């Protein structure tokens, strides 16, 4: 018989607080049109995006994450010292090591909280939430901070008409803690690595560092382009529309509810047409509030779901205790969907 004492966690976990940070600079489509042949009308009608936020030099990944986290911690009504683990999902923190999570945990004033980064693209928030739920239930931490943060403007090729208009910067964070009743449903998640080429970095850092002009993409002035995110827009669009609606339905089934029981739908903010198509396929009733934060935030990858959640609660379109379906999907390709009770 094992001599190891079982760990003691909470019976269930819930999101206790949410916070967001949007950079101060608002970038309208007109700025994007300076470098690509397109139109405000095309960008709005094909993606839904009207404006996005781009971070300035002071709005680093860590700085934005700390702002969003401070709000989430205050919203949860706890102190930073009570946070036992910090999970940061990002693909745009440029130092490979150490994880940015440790700096964030320290600057927030946690008491040596466990801290690590994960890379799960636009599904990163759902992956982090799933880890947090497990940690709280297992008992290694009472409160876990889950942060999605991106400076995608650093990884955007402004001369690439397929992506220049899509991405934005920002941070969203939630505090996950103990609950007496289920408030984060089972996660339906997975990966489809056979489609990994559909969203990727143009060149890996090591090839970029060697700087061989004969091999690397050049900009219109003949300079080596900084690595950027590139995608096969149509392939990703079709995958999101057809496959992700099924995953969203599986998350509802796993939680034991139907679309009628939902109050709020917060999908990853990739394209307003993807959102509208999912709403139709899932046959979401009129009363369900749908996040369309993409219009003024663009695609902020791991930050998009918590940012949209925070805005819906701040504007009163959603309220504390509402039942929400969240689904993230993107580079990998990876996805994660779950039903949550809003903080
Ligand atoms: C990127 C995206 C908005 C492009 O929309 P789309 O309708 O698929 O556009 P297409 O690439 O099929 O191009 C349609 C036409 O518009 C043109 N076009 C492409 N980009 C354009 C732009 N920025 N401005 C104007 N026209 C453009 C194309 O040349 C094409 O013209 P043609 O019909 O004469 O050949 C869309 O594919 C998308 O949102 N994809 C998924 C994004 C996503 O979810 N990413 C996940 C990251 S997590």
């Amino acid at each position: 018989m094992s001599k190891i004492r079982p760990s003691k966690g909470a019976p269930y976990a819930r999101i206790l607080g949410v916070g967001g940070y949007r950079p101060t600079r608002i970038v309208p489509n007109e700025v994007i049109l300076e470098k690509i042949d397109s139109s405000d009308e095309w960008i709005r009608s094909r993606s839904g995006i009207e404006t996005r936020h781009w971070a300035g030099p002071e709005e680093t990944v860590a700085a934005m994450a700390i702002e969003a986290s401070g709000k989430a911690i205050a919203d949860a009504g706890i102190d930073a010292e009570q946070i036992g683990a910090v999970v940061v999902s990002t693909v745009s923190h440029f130092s490979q090591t150490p994880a940015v999570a440790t700096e964030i945990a320290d600057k927030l004033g946690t008491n040596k909280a466990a801290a690590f980064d994960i890379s799960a693209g636009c599904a990163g928030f759902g992956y982090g939430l799933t880890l947090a739920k497990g940690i709280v239930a297992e008992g290694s931490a009472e409160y876990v901070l889950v942060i999605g943060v991106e400076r995608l403007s650093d990884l955007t090729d402004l001369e690439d008409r397929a992506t220049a208009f899509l991405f934005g910067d920002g941070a969203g964070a939630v505090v996950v803690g103990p609950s007496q009743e289920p408030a984060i449903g089972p996660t339906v998640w997975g990966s489809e690595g056979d489609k990994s080429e559909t969203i990727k970095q143009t060149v890996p850092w090591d090839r970029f560092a060697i700087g061989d002009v004969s091999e690397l993409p050049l900009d219109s002035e003949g300079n080596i382009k900084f690595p950027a995110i590139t995608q096969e827009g149509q392939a990703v669009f079709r995958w999101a529309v057809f496959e992700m609606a099924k995953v969203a339905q599986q998350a509802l089934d796993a939680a034991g509810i139907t679309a009628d029981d939902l109050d709020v739908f917060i999908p990853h903010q990739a394209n307003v047409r993807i959102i509208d198509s999912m709403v139709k396929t899932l046959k979401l009733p009129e009363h369900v509030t749908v996040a369309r934060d993409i219009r003024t935030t663009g695609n902020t990858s791991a930050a998009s779901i918590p940012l949209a959640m925070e805005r819906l609660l701040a504007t009163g379109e959603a309220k504390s205790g509402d039942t929400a379906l969240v689904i993230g999907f993107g580079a990998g390709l990876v996805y994660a969907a779950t039903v949550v009770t809003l903080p």
Side-chain angles (χ1 to χ4, degrees):
M1 184 153 141
S2 171
K3 290 182 180 163
I4 301 172
R5 205 180 281 159
S7 42
K8 270 195 215 135
Y12 304 104
R14 71 183 303 133
I15 300 175
L16 296 167
V18 60
Y21 180 79
R22 291 173 164 82
T24 48
R25 183 177 172 203
I26 296 172
V27 179
N29 288 339
E30 284 68 33
V31 171
I32 307 294
L33 300 177
E34 289 167 11
K35 295 250 170 93
I36 55 166
D37 176 18
S38 185
S39 67
D40 178 45
E41 206 284 314
W42 191 94
I43 297 172
R44 280 175 196 244
S45 63
R46 302 312 288 170
S47 73
I49 301 169
E50 295 160 17
T51 57
R52 72 287 286 144
H53 296 251
W54 281 355
E58 311 291 311
E59 291 165 316
T60 61
V61 164
M64 292 194 291
I66 289 166
E67 284 290 327
S69 301
K71 290 184 200 165
I73 292 167
D75 191 39
I78 64 163
D79 294 324
E81 302 98 76
Q82 292 173 272
I83 299 282
V86 177
V87 184
V88 178
S89 183
T90 184
V91 295
S92 46
H93 179 244
F94 285 164
S95 274
Q96 189 101 39
T97 194
V100 71
T102 59
E103 178 189 343
I104 294 167
D106 178 54
K107 294 209 170 124
L108 281 171
T110 71
N111 183 18
K112 299 184 184 173
F116 58 100
D117 297 354
I118 57 172
S119 171
C122 304
F125 176 73
Y127 273 58
L129 190 64
T130 304
L131 292 177
K133 175 187 166 185
I135 292 168
V136 169
E138 187 267 343
S140 298
E142 190 177 10
Y143 298 100
V144 181
L145 187 61
V146 179
I147 304 165
V149 55
E150 303 291 1
R151 268 181 67 112
L152 294 180
S153 59
D154 290 341
L155 284 170
T156 302
D157 176 358
L158 294 178
E159 294 181 348
D160 175 13
R161 153 187 217 251
T163 55
F165 56 92
L166 275 179
F167 300 119
D169 303 337
V174 298
V175 173
V176 177
S179 169
Q180 288 308 311
E181 54 177 24
I184 302 176
T187 302
V188 177
W189 60 349
S191 69
E192 296 186 33
D194 59 324
K195 299 183 185 65
S196 62
E197 295 289 303
T198 56
I199 308 175
K200 63 175 186 184
Q201 187 167 313
T202 44
V203 285
W205 297 113
D206 51 354
R207 262 187 61 210
F208 174 68
I210 291 168
D212 182 348
V213 185
S214 65
E215 268 202 34
L216 296 170
L218 306 178
D219 67 17
S220 51
E221 284 158 16
N223 304 310
I224 294 173
K225 280 188 180 183
F226 195 73
I229 298 170
T230 174
Q231 69 169 349
E232 294 168 28
Q234 276 202 21
V236 178
F237 189 92
R238 275 198 304 272
W239 173 76
V241 162
F242 293 114
E243 302 304 326
M244 291 306 101
K246 291 182 208 160
V247 169
Q249 183 59 51
Q250 285 165 18
L252 289 178
D253 297 344
I257 67 167
T258 69
D260 286 335
D261 301 314
L262 272 186
D263 301 304
V264 185
F265 179 45
I266 313 179
H268 168 50
Q269 304 289 299
N271 184 318
V272 86
R273 291 186 296 135
I274 295 176
I275 298 170
D276 291 343
S277 160
M278 288 173 95
V279 167
K280 225 166 148 186
T281 310
L282 288 166
K283 298 192 175 64
L284 295 189
E286 281 288 306
H287 74 259
V288 176
T289 299
V290 178
R292 291 192 177 83
D293 194 38
I294 183 152
R295 293 189 198 291
T296 54
T297 307
N299 179 346
T300 56
S301 192
S304 88
I305 291 174
L307 273 175
M309 184 184 290
E310 188 239 19
R311 181 154 278 172
L312 288 178
L313 288 164
T315 57
E317 291 164 90
K319 58 183 192 314
S320 172
D322 276 355
T323 301
L325 170 63
V326 299
I327 176 166
F329 46 86
L333 297 175
V334 290
Y335 55 87
T338 186
V339 174
V340 302
T341 304
L342 291 183

